[in-house]
Amino acid sequence: MTKHTQLHDAMIIGGGPAGLSAGLVLGRARKHVVIMDEGRPRNHVTRETHGFLTRDGVSPAEFRSIAREQIQAYPSVRFVEESAVSVAGSDGDFQVTTSQGKVYRAKKLLFAVGKKDRLPVIEGLGDVYGKSAFVCPYCDGWELRDQPLVVIAKGEGAVHFAKVIAGWSDRYTICTNGPDEMTAEQREDLKRHNIPVYDTPIRLIDSSNGLVQQVVLEDGTRLPCTGIFFAPQLVTGSDLPASIGCQLNEAGSVIVDSFGKTNVPGVYSAGDAATEMYQAIVAASMGSMAAAGLNSELLMENWNRK
Ligand SMILES: Cc1cc2nc3c(=O)[nH]c(=O)nc-3n(C[C@H](O)[C@H](O)[C@H](O)COP(=O)(O)OP(=O)(O)OC[C@H]3O[C@@H](n4cnc5c(N)ncnc54)[C@H](O)[C@@H]3O)c2cc1C
């Protein structure tokens, strides 16, 4: 085990929009920071990131590469491309151990570990995910506007999706992919809006070069479409926040105040890890806020020590 004895000001675990944004703010605040990232961002499947002012349409990889290039102008920030596997210690001296057995020390921790999507098990979904099947209309609805779509969702989630997708297309069908708990009233509401609902399980998604052509149901029904929206199950990007005592809400998000502070002294969280509003620009904004909160705490501690 290699122990890095330098006590950094902060360790940021996760180098997506949230962690990188925090790194930029802390670098400019002259703090010694490690950004540790294992390189598995939520949106790795997509070709383009949309809705981030000045970066609309760039690939997730290009987004990160521009961010890293700009952060590298601040020499007190270093990047470590490893997984953090455990955290120990307390406010003022946390120890983060990596998958390669190295140990980094930092006064404060910032979890920007994101969330992970668990896809429904449907043959062919992996071929179209991120190319013509998406999870969020704010991210990818514009590209699929006015097109024939299939929404794969269940229950209350299906009804909510139906109402939201209506902002981008009025040609869509709901597939619950098996028996569903939607109430008669909800079904009537969808019927009134001329939205067909199919309960038959999906046999497969037919596509060519990542572009969906039709959704085929177990009973042979074919639903031609050029795009899919579906609701994945979301889980926390890492168990580390919980392992050190951070409280999570029912959605698995770390509970934070407006400056990203958790219930554990010296521990912050930002981005998808700490919200259910999944947008890169929101994650970056939360990272910036958390960095300001964390920096302010360091400054006050330093001030009071003298
Ligand atoms: C298919 C899809 C398309 C999307 N399209 C858009 C879009 O067009 N526009 C938009 O605004 N948003 C989009 N999003 C949402 C967007 O991806 C997220 O809101 C954003 O990535 C959140 O940033 P983050 O920094 O919180 O997390 P992430 O970007 O997920 O980054 C978290 C990082 O932490 C790392 N990590 C986790 N645990 C550890 C650990 N233990 N050690 C080291 N590293 C760790 C991960 O590997 C990852 O690199 C999309 C999401 C999906 C799923």
Side-chain angles (χ1 to χ4, degrees):
M1 183 177 289
T2 324
K3 194 158 183 167
H4 289 256
T5 45
Q6 181 187 350
L7 182 60
H8 297 88
D9 291 311
M11 161 71 74
I12 299 171
I13 302 178
L20 291 167
S21 172
L24 179 62
V25 172
L26 289 170
R28 290 180 54 76
R30 308 184 70 189
K31 293 295 173 289
H32 288 94
V33 179
V34 175
I35 302 178
M36 185 173 294
D37 186 55
E38 66 191 10
R40 290 188 295 132
R42 235 196 108 188
N43 59 353
H44 69 281
V45 291
T46 56
R47 295 168 176 161
E48 296 180 347
T49 296
H50 300 114
F52 199 112
L53 194 65
T54 78
R55 291 287 175 268
D56 193 31
V58 301
S59 71
E62 191 185 352
F63 180 93
R64 285 180 168 224
S65 141
I66 296 168
R68 285 178 70 128
E69 194 185 312
Q70 294 187 343
I71 293 168
Q72 271 157 7
Y74 304 96
S76 62
V77 183
R78 65 190 278 209
F79 289 93
V80 172
E81 286 171 9
E82 283 184 56
S83 292
V85 293
S86 69
V87 288
S90 57
D91 193 9
D93 192 352
F94 291 103
Q95 300 95 44
V96 177
T97 304
T98 74
S99 47
Q100 294 180 17
K102 295 182 196 141
V103 180
Y104 292 84
R105 294 171 61 214
K107 292 177 191 164
K108 308 284 174 196
L109 281 182
L110 170 48
F111 290 113
V113 291
K115 285 215 176 80
K116 287 180 189 149
D117 299 271
R118 290 210 177 127
L119 305 196
V121 182
I122 299 172
E123 188 184 332
L125 181 58
D127 298 334
V128 292
Y129 181 43
K131 301 186 184 82
S132 57
F134 301 100
V135 296
C136 159
Y138 287 97
C139 300
D140 299 288
W142 171 261
E143 283 64 34
L144 296 176
R145 65 194 181 281
D146 296 327
Q147 295 186 30
L149 307 175
V150 166
V151 175
I152 304 171
K154 281 189 187 295
E156 181 61 43
V159 179
H160 176 71
F161 236 133
K163 292 177 184 172
V164 174
I165 294 293
W168 283 270
S169 178
D170 56 8
R171 300 160 66 199
Y172 58 96
T173 300
I174 305 268
C175 282
T176 62
N177 193 22
D180 191 60
E181 69 273 19
M182 239 187 282
T183 64
E185 203 182 359
Q186 287 170 328
R187 284 179 185 271
E188 191 50 43
D189 193 20
L190 293 173
K191 197 171 169 191
R192 216 162 36 83
H193 287 85
N194 297 318
I195 301 162
V197 178
Y198 291 87
D199 288 340
T200 313
I202 296 169
R203 183 186 297 160
L204 61 92
I205 293 169
D206 212 0
S207 65
S208 169
N209 293 326
L211 300 179
V212 56
Q213 293 177 328
Q214 57 182 356
V215 173
V216 183
L217 306 185
E218 282 296 359
D219 62 6
T221 305
R222 293 168 184 273
L223 303 170
C225 62
T226 53
I228 291 175
F229 280 100
F230 68 100
Q233 190 201 346
L234 276 166
V235 294
T236 175
S238 161
D239 293 331
L240 292 180
S243 78
I244 200 162
C246 292
Q247 283 174 354
L248 309 184
N249 66 16
E250 282 177 0
S253 306
V254 181
I255 298 172
V256 292
D257 71 10
S258 56
F259 281 95
K261 199 169 169 36
T262 72
N263 59 301
V264 179
V267 179
Y268 291 73
S269 185
D272 280 13
T275 183
E276 290 94 61
M277 180 64 200
Y278 303 121
Q279 291 274 281
I281 202 160
V282 174
S285 158
M286 290 177 76
S288 174
M289 290 291 279
L294 189 159
N295 187 50
S296 166
E297 208 178 321
L298 285 170
L299 291 171
M300 293 313 118
E301 284 168 5
N302 214 23
W303 184 270
N304 292 332
R305 213 174 285 127
K306 288 179 184 160

